[in-house]
Amino acid sequence: MPDQNAPARTPHRPRSEASRRAILDASLDLCAEQGYGPVTVEAIAARAGVSKKTIYRWWPSKGAVVLEALDDVANPAADFPDSGDLRADLVAQMEGLVRGLLSDQRFGRALVGLIADTQHDPRLARGLVDDLFHPRIEDARRRLAKARDAGQLHQDADPDLAIELLYAPLYYRLLLHQGSLHSMDELRVLVDHVLRSTAPPA
Amino acid sequence: MPDQNAPARTPHRPRSEASRRAILDASLDLCAEQGYGPVTVEAIAARAGVSKKTIYRWWPSKGAVVLEALDDVANPAADFPDSGDLRADLVAQMEGLVRGLLSDQRFGRALVGLIADTQHDPRLARGLVDDLFHPRIEDARRRLAKARDAGQLHQDADPDLAIELLYAPLYYRLLLHQGSLHSMDELRVLVDHVLRSTAPPA
DNA sequence: TACAGGAAACGACACGTTCCGTATTGACAG
DNA sequence: CTGTCAATACGGAACGTGTCGTTTCCTGTA
């Protein structure tokens, strides 16, 4: 497990992994309880049993803490399945995502608030896209390209457009307060529609 | 021009329409210059040449001011055309929306920040949905239902699903920092895809 | 001995509210 | 038609509160 955050291997007191975990956990716990907005760095520090200075030493802002916490949580949760059946894989992945957003409020409320925060913090927006979204979008793109090459999709279907059509409705409902998130039935209908539309215009 | 905001016809000094306009204009101007986040009620008051108290007398928060300002601006801008040609109407409407979001930063930056703000202000979220989004979604729904009844769409196509597939990608790119908004070409491709998928699953 | 970490305090700033004085209106009386 | 009055909007300034990000001083640890 190579640590890409290694602090240049200085020969002195190392960073406390216990404090790091406590901070990340506390940030998601507080988001679940109060929502992202009202959570303060001071509250995170207090909950984690840690000094404010320790947080500001390693993260530039509350958003950066929550981003790292979400990345930790999401890593195992949102893997992209590959059973050979594209439709089933898409439905399964999206079901997992929606379930994560709904059931575990540690995830949903924190993500929504974090996205809100990125609207006036360009550096945080960079981190959200590069660390959280881009890798997972790449996974989906690869899965769709593979399906296309295997003949399960029109030969010049556009994976990027398909990804937008699939996932945008989720965030549309989530961020624009359009009712509750999709039910499992609605997800299947959504995937069916998108797969049926992946032929390019005449 | 019946005034539905008439304050119960009390016999005393009426609300200053000049101040109201100055406040709404100032709020959008400041959003265009600094983005929504950094704008403060104090700054709006200063720019409008108005006392803070006057703002708090009529609006509960910065968000409520910007919401009303956006509603004023959007009313003439986002009308739904009805030429009989559904595809052309959809493209035209979405082109207008995208152009408004891109060109006039008074609109785009204010809307993005306002949406962000609604993530931790339920009352503001209510206002955003009820005042800004719902009426326009209803317009789109009517237009789609009419097209369906005219035989331009599959008989049991779902207008709500179509609306989600059409507009969600816009807000997806806007709020999740996925590149720039759609080009006019991309809008046409998007509309074509959605119209092709509006048949229900077998 | 160099750095991580805890505790506490700081100045800056925006919040939402309050007080006070002034300006503007409709209602009513003559 | 005109003068007076009560009610309200408005501007200006100040307030207490809370969070921000930083700083200071100290202890703990490899």
Side-chain angles (χ1 to χ4, degrees), chain A residues 119 164 173 193 196-197 199, chain B residues 164 173 175 193 196-197 199:
Chain A
Q119 305 307 325
E164 253 185 31
R173 291 200 188 179
H193 272 69
R196 194 178 321 119
S197 74
Chain B
E164 254 187 30
R173 291 201 187 179
L175 297 170
H193 271 69
R196 194 178 321 120
S197 74

Side-chain angles (χ1 to χ4, degrees), chain B:
Chain B
M1 196 193 301
D3 183 1
Q4 52 185 348
N5 282 359
R9 227 5 132 193
T10 58
H12 299 295
R13 184 180 181 179
R15 175 177 181 181
S16 161
E17 175 62 20
S19 289
R20 178 180 166 274
R21 275 255 57 86
I23 290 167
L24 297 182
D25 290 345
S27 73
L28 291 193
D29 285 346
L30 288 171
C31 283
E33 292 170 15
Q34 323 170 5
Y36 175 97
V39 172
T40 70
V41 174
E42 298 206 349
I44 296 175
R47 172 71 66 100
V50 143
S51 142
K52 244 200 316 182
K53 167 129 192 178
T54 301
I55 296 185
Y56 281 113
R57 193 193 310 274
W58 300 106
W59 294 276
S61 64
K62 168 179 76 166
V65 175
V66 174
L67 173 59
E68 186 170 330
L70 282 179
D71 199 31
D72 270 23
V73 171
N75 256 332
D79 273 3
F80 219 102
D82 188 353
S83 70
D85 179 350
L86 176 64
R87 178 182 179 278
D89 287 349
L90 289 174
V91 170
Q93 205 278 338
M94 296 183 73
E95 278 183 2
L97 175 56
V98 168
R99 249 191 279 268
L101 289 173
L102 284 179
S103 67
D104 189 351
Q105 287 298 2
R106 283 163 54 92
F107 197 91
R109 300 188 76 170
L111 179 60
V112 166
L114 181 64
I115 292 171
D117 220 351
T118 61
Q119 304 307 325
H120 47 81
D121 185 339
R123 276 178 46 201
L124 190 58
R126 260 298 254 253
L128 179 77
V129 171
D130 292 349
D131 299 345
L132 209 56
F133 280 90
H134 191 257
R136 292 167 179 86
I137 290 176
E138 277 305 310
D139 276 0
R141 200 202 310 273
R142 272 191 293 273
R143 183 67 188 86
L144 284 165
K146 184 182 167 191
R148 185 191 55 194
D149 296 345
Q152 302 179 359
L153 230 51
H154 195 286
Q155 200 53 34
D156 32 42
D158 182 352
D160 289 307
L161 177 58
I163 291 172
E164 254 187 30
L165 287 172
L166 285 169
Y167 290 93
L170 259 62
Y171 292 98
Y172 177 80
R173 291 201 187 179
L174 193 66
L175 297 170
L176 266 44
H177 318 98
Q178 299 297 316
S180 52
L181 282 191
H182 298 69
S183 69
M184 301 301 128
D185 282 348
E186 285 177 306
L187 282 183
R188 280 188 282 276
V189 171
L190 176 59
V191 169
D192 283 335
H193 271 69
V194 173
L195 287 183
R196 194 178 321 120
S197 74
T198 41

Side-chain angles (χ1 to χ4, degrees), chain A residues 27-44 61-63 66 105-118 120 124, chain B residues 115-122:
Chain A
S27 73
L28 291 194
D29 286 346
L30 288 171
C31 283
E33 292 170 15
Q34 324 170 3
Y36 175 97
V39 172
T40 70
V41 173
E42 298 205 348
I44 296 175
S61 64
K62 168 179 77 166
V66 174
Q105 286 299 3
R106 283 163 53 93
F107 196 91
R109 299 187 78 170
L111 179 60
V112 166
L114 181 65
I115 292 171
D117 217 352
T118 62
H120 47 82
L124 190 58
Chain B
I115 292 171
D117 220 351
T118 61
Q119 304 307 325
H120 47 81
D121 185 339

Side-chain angles (χ1 to χ4, degrees), chain A residues 1-200:
Chain A
M1 195 195 300
D3 183 0
Q4 52 184 346
N5 282 358
R9 227 4 131 197
T10 56
H12 300 295
R13 185 182 181 179
R15 176 178 180 182
S16 160
E17 174 63 20
S19 289
R20 177 179 167 275
R21 273 257 56 88
I23 291 166
L24 297 183
D25 289 345
S27 73
L28 291 194
D29 286 346
L30 288 171
C31 283
E33 292 170 15
Q34 324 170 3
Y36 175 97
V39 172
T40 70
V41 173
E42 298 205 348
I44 296 175
R47 171 71 65 100
V50 143
S51 144
K52 240 196 328 178
K53 166 128 191 175
T54 301
I55 296 185
Y56 280 114
R57 193 195 306 276
W58 300 106
W59 293 275
S61 64
K62 168 179 77 166
V65 175
V66 174
L67 173 58
E68 186 170 331
L70 282 180
D71 199 31
D72 270 23
V73 171
N75 256 332
D79 274 3
F80 219 102
D82 187 353
S83 71
D85 180 350
L86 176 64
R87 169 172 325 207
D89 287 350
L90 288 175
V91 170
Q93 205 280 338
M94 296 183 73
E95 279 184 1
L97 175 56
V98 167
R99 248 191 279 267
L101 289 172
L102 284 179
S103 66
D104 188 353
Q105 286 299 3
R106 283 163 53 93
F107 196 91
R109 299 187 78 170
L111 179 60
V112 166
L114 181 65
I115 292 171
D117 217 352
T118 62
Q119 305 307 325
H120 47 82
D121 184 340
R123 276 176 48 201
L124 190 58
R126 258 297 242 267
L128 178 78
V129 172
D130 292 349
D131 299 345
L132 209 57
F133 280 90
H134 192 257
R136 291 168 180 85
I137 290 176
E138 278 304 310
D139 276 0
R141 200 202 311 273
R142 270 192 294 273
R143 183 67 189 85
L144 284 166
K146 184 183 168 191
R148 184 190 55 193
D149 296 344
Q152 301 179 359
L153 229 52
H154 195 286
Q155 201 52 35
D156 31 42
D158 182 353
D160 290 306
L161 177 57
I163 291 172
E164 253 185 31
L165 287 172
L166 285 169
Y167 290 93
L170 259 61
Y171 292 98
Y172 177 79
R173 291 200 188 179
L174 193 65
L175 297 170
L176 266 43
H177 318 97
Q178 299 297 317
S180 52
L181 283 190
H182 297 69
S183 68
M184 303 300 129
D185 281 348
E186 286 177 307
L187 282 183
R188 280 188 283 276
V189 172
L190 176 60
V191 171
D192 283 337
H193 272 69
V194 174
L195 288 183
R196 194 178 321 119
S197 74
T198 41

